Amino acid sequence: MKAAPRPNRTSQEHAVQWLRAAIVARELRPGARVVQEDVAERIGVSVVPVREALRVLEQEGQLTYRPRRGYFVTELDVADLEEIYALRALLEARAVRHALPTLDAEALERMESAARDCVVAAAAGDVAAELEANRRFHLGLLEAPDQPHLLRLIRTLWDSTESYRALYYNTPEERDAAAVAHERIMAAVRGGAADPLIAELDAHRERALVVLREILAGE
């Protein structure tokens, strides 16, 4: 994966985005060592912004720092995923109850646009684009002006498992299942009641966890 930094993006932001994409695409696989000099050379920036980018991804949980050895792509096991998804269930239910009454027509259109982008990316087999659209869809539902700390925690949990979320989008069956789940979630949003919406989100999350359990057991 080779890319040059965009003029309107800082070198650190460029390095962060490149590393995230490489992890999602499995170019940097779980357990792999990330050499900052190699990354800097590949993306055409100095070592300093790459070093800062590595720290950002460490805070997100996507990288792990080992003293005197450097940074490695985080390896997650089933127990880690189950804990993270259980925390997401609790936090996202709370976020939904706060955010749902505030969603206006513009917010609904953003979610519907993101859902359409997911379908287009899925049809093209573009996992990175699908992940980005999927993230917009879900976080667009949870955003509310009075809960910034809650959203920060939810984003951190999402970031920590993004590379594994990519795995279940590698099959047409799961891409199709996600599109159906998004339609059901949107229907629940339009219904305006929190409990049915939370139930749809829980079902969507549980299916992903089931798939990920199977994938991790086979690796």
Side-chain angles (χ1 to χ4, degrees):
M1 183 182 295
K2 186 95 172 175
R6 296 178 181 178
N8 63 342
R9 178 184 294 166
T10 69
S11 295
Q12 179 184 327
E13 289 171 337
H14 176 61
V16 167
Q17 294 301 322
W18 186 91
L19 285 163
R20 283 178 177 153
I23 291 170
V24 166
R26 310 284 280 178
E27 183 173 347
L28 294 173
R29 298 182 65 84
R33 183 166 179 258
V34 182
V35 181
Q36 59 187 18
E37 292 81 6
D38 292 348
V39 174
E41 181 178 356
R42 293 184 71 178
I43 66 176
V45 301
S46 69
V47 170
V48 173
V50 173
R51 186 180 302 128
E52 294 302 317
L54 294 174
R55 290 173 182 159
V56 170
L57 268 69
E58 180 192 12
Q59 292 174 350
E60 292 178 354
Q62 296 200 64
L63 297 179
T64 300
Y65 178 73
R66 300 174 186 169
R68 297 181 296 278
R69 296 186 62 192
Y71 288 92
F72 293 79
V73 180
T74 299
E75 296 182 88
L76 296 180
D77 58 24
V78 172
D80 290 324
L81 286 167
E82 288 175 343
E83 179 183 7
I84 290 169
Y85 273 59
L87 288 170
R88 277 186 53 199
L90 293 171
L91 296 177
E92 291 177 15
R94 176 184 172 87
V96 162
R97 294 189 188 282
H98 281 75
L100 186 57
T102 72
L103 296 178
D104 55 16
E106 184 177 346
L108 293 180
E109 175 53 34
R110 286 196 299 267
M111 288 185 64
E112 290 171 347
S113 176
R116 290 192 296 269
D117 289 345
C118 280
V119 172
V120 171
D126 189 339
V127 174
E130 186 171 8
L131 286 171
E132 187 276 332
N134 179 67
R135 182 186 180 94
R136 279 191 284 118
F137 176 82
H138 284 277
L139 295 185
L141 166 61
L142 303 175
E143 288 178 351
D146 62 340
Q147 50 185 2
H149 303 296
L150 180 57
L151 262 294
R152 176 175 53 80
L153 292 172
I154 291 172
R155 287 192 185 98
T156 298
L157 293 174
W158 270 72
D159 290 337
S160 68
T161 55
E162 190 75 339
S163 61
Y164 284 82
R165 190 172 297 108
L167 296 182
Y168 65 79
Y169 279 133
N170 282 333
T171 63
E173 294 82 3
E174 295 312 314
R175 292 197 288 268
D176 292 343
V180 172
H182 288 172
E183 290 175 359
R184 294 177 63 90
I185 289 167
M186 282 305 307
V189 169
R190 295 189 195 96
D195 287 343
L197 174 55
I198 290 169
E200 292 294 346
L201 291 170
D202 287 346
H204 185 33
R205 197 184 305 106
E206 182 57 33
R207 179 183 177 98
L209 186 54
V210 168
V211 172
L212 288 169
R213 284 194 191 106
E214 293 174 352
I215 291 173
L216 292 176
E219 286 197 341

